[in-house]
């Protein structure tokens, strides 16, 4: 005996909601998007043309598709025809893949995604899933939708541009010597501008035009042949000058695209080439990508931002600014790994933001080891006399204060150092172990007092039981989110190009990770 199965019997359509399980992820997507304030939808309103699909519906189907690891516009369109949860969220609408892709990259969608993060965090606070005592910050690199062999390097462009300036100056001097062109009023003696090169082309072009007229007016074969021979050189000059103009314009465009970066991809100008640990052997591969900075708590992504620089040190301050401006008020503790430990970052968090920085520095773990503490030639272990402001080396020689030095990094941040120098290093039996300075030069020591105070602050905070317990949560809080994103969601490469579009897709992917975890814990 079989259960009733008749294909030609009419079955009335039911509400698709009854087909979904009680804790289906579609319900969480629906409630999250419906919590977005109506004011955020006003930029999508249009008074002319065909009525558009509702932005709430479009955002719901994108979030739901990303939770199912479907990122292609065509595959999302296919899901709308055969997925019950997608049919229910779309309520019978079937936007094409072009409509889905156009909506995903709109600049107005960024505000909707931001509202999703704000509303989701409010929901987590309401249900007491996070305690708002700390945020955990870390970064990861995501591959851009760009060919890995389309790199342009800043050093190469600078080299070629410098050679082009020298060639153009040499050609200008040569033309002046041969009296082919008159002297031009130059803005700079170092290099010729595009306008000045254009004037040179015009002068040479006038000479070529005069030869053309003479050749056309002459009927003597020998004379015409001689004139053509004379015309050959200025024609070559004109071609060379036009090439210089085109190359100068190209290099100027390249420098505009570079900005503060050292490379960019021809396929996606906003992507920078970075080392990525992709394979199982952990061999660094150079690929175009974005540095994604993430703030988490309770293994939920609460805020994110994208940066072009591959290192994390210089991303912390602008990321914290963005969190305060667009997401939420910073909690008491800011937790991050040693990649963020710098004097500038400590000063910003402790002095400007009045928060506690639970951030280690590069030498923190090494300083805890017995070998480091017992190394007599390590300046940190040398005796310091605060009254006389001197250091005593292992050979009992005095290193007295000499002068102060100020160093400014690329971002304009200034660091102050005190320079100490040994009285006499000649004949020291420990010289080879103590310094690499040339024979005849005394050992010098650079000490940054502010940096030493900041390191002492970090060591003191991490020695406290409460703050150390918060710091130990970092690895089990922020790192799993990257694992969920790359391993579970299988989001390892962007499908759009350009920073603004990539930011939208990154926000959708991270919110999909949040919804997956929230549904599993509900």
């Amino acid at each position: 005996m079989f259960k009733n199965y008749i294909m030609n019997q009419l079955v009335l359509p039911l509400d698709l909601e009854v087909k979904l399980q009680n804790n289906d992820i579609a319900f969480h997507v629906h409630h999250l998007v419906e919590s977005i304030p109506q004011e955020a939808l006003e930029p999508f309103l249009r008074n002319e043309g065909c009525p558009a699909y509702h932005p709430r519906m479009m955002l719901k189907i994108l979030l739901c598709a990303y939770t199912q690891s479907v990122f292609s516009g065509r595959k999302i369109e296919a899901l709308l025809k055969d997925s019950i949860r997608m049919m229910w969220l779309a309520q019978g609408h079937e936007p094409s893949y072009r409509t889905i892709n156009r909506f995903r990259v709109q600049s107005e969608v960024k505000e909707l995604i931001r509202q999703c993060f704000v509303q989701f965090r409010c929901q987590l606070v309401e249900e007491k899933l996070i305690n708002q005592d700390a945020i955990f910050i870390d970064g990861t690199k995501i591959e851009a939708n760009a060919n890995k062999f389309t790199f342009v390097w800043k050093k190469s462009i600078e080299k070629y541009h410098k050679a082009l300036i020298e060639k153009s100056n040499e050609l200008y001097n040569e033309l002046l010597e041969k009296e082919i062109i008159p002297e031009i009023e130059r803005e700079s003696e170092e290099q010729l501008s595009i306008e000045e090169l254009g004037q040179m082309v015009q002068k040479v072009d006038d000479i070529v035009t005069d030869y053309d007229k003479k050749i056309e007016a002459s009927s003597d074969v020998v004379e015409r042949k001689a004139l053509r021979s004379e015309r050959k050189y200025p024609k070559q000059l004109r071609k060379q000058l036009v090439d210089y103009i085109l190359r100068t314009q190209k290099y100027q465009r390249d420098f505009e695209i570079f900005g503060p970066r050292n490379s960019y991809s021809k396929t996606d100008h906003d992507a920078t080439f970075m080392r990525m640990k992709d394979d199982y052997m952990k061999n660094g591969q150079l690929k175009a990508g974005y540095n994604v900075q993430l703030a988490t708590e309770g293994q939920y992504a609460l805020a994110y931002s994208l940066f072009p620089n591959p290192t994390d040190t210089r991303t912390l301050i602008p990321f914290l600014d963005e969190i305060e401006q667009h997401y939420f008020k910073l909690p008491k503790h800011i937790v991050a790994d040693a990649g963020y430990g710098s004097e500038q970052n400590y000063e910003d968090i402790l002095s400007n933001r009045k928060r506690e920085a639970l951030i280690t520095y590069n030498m923190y773990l090494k300083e805890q080891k017995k070998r480091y503490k017992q190394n007599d030639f390590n300046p940190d272990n040398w005796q310091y006399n605060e009254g006389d402001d001197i250091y005593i080396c292992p050979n009992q020689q005095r290193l007295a204060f000499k002068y102060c030095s100020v160093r400014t990094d690329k971002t304009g941040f200034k660091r102050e150092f005190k320079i100490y120098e040994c009285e006499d290093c000649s004949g020291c039996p420990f010289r080879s172990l103590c310094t690499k300075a040339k024979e005849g030069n005394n050992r010098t020591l650079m000490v940054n007092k502010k940096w030493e105070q900041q390191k002492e602050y970090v060591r003191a905070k991490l020695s406290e039981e409460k703050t150390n317990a918060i710091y130990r949560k970092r690895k089990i809080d922020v790192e799993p989110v990257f694992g969920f994103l790359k391993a579970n969601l299988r989001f390892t490469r962007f499908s759009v190009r350009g920073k603004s579009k990539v930011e939208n897709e990154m926000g959708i992917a991270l919110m999909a990770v949040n919804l997956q975890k929230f549904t599993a814990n509900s």
Side-chain angles (χ1 to χ4, degrees), residues 61 81 84 98 125 192 202 261 272 498:
I61 63 175
K81 295 179 172 64
I84 294 177
R98 290 189 182 91
V125 172
L192 291 159
Q202 185 63 43
R261 299 179 296 164
T272 309

Side-chain angles (χ1 to χ4, degrees), residues 12 27 53 129 183 276 294 431 452 462-463 496 514:
L12 294 175
F27 293 123
Y53 290 109
L129 294 174
E183 188 173 354
M276 298 190 184
L294 194 61
R431 181 180 179 86
E452 296 300 326
L462 294 183
S463 63
V496 293
N514 286 342

Side-chain angles (χ1 to χ4, degrees), residues 321-332:
D321 290 337
E322 186 161 345
I323 292 175
E324 286 190 311
Q325 293 172 11
H326 299 113
Y327 292 97
F328 53 87
K329 184 180 178 181
L330 290 175
K332 182 180 179 181

Side-chain angles (χ1 to χ4, degrees), residues 378-405:
N378 182 0
D380 289 342
N381 299 327
W382 290 0
Q383 182 184 348
Y384 174 65
N385 187 329
E386 188 173 356
D388 297 333
D389 195 15
I390 60 170
Y391 284 87
I392 307 297
C393 77
N395 196 31
Q396 301 304 309
Q397 295 292 325
R398 295 156 51 96
L399 280 82
F401 170 72
K402 290 296 182 181
Y403 60 92
C404 288
S405 175

Side-chain angles (χ1 to χ4, degrees), residues 9-28:
Q9 183 176 346
L10 177 64
V11 178
L12 294 175
L14 297 173
D15 186 359
L16 293 174
E17 183 177 354
V18 302
K19 288 284 190 181
L20 299 175
Q21 296 180 2
N22 293 333
N23 193 35
D24 194 274
I25 198 169
F27 293 123
H28 297 290

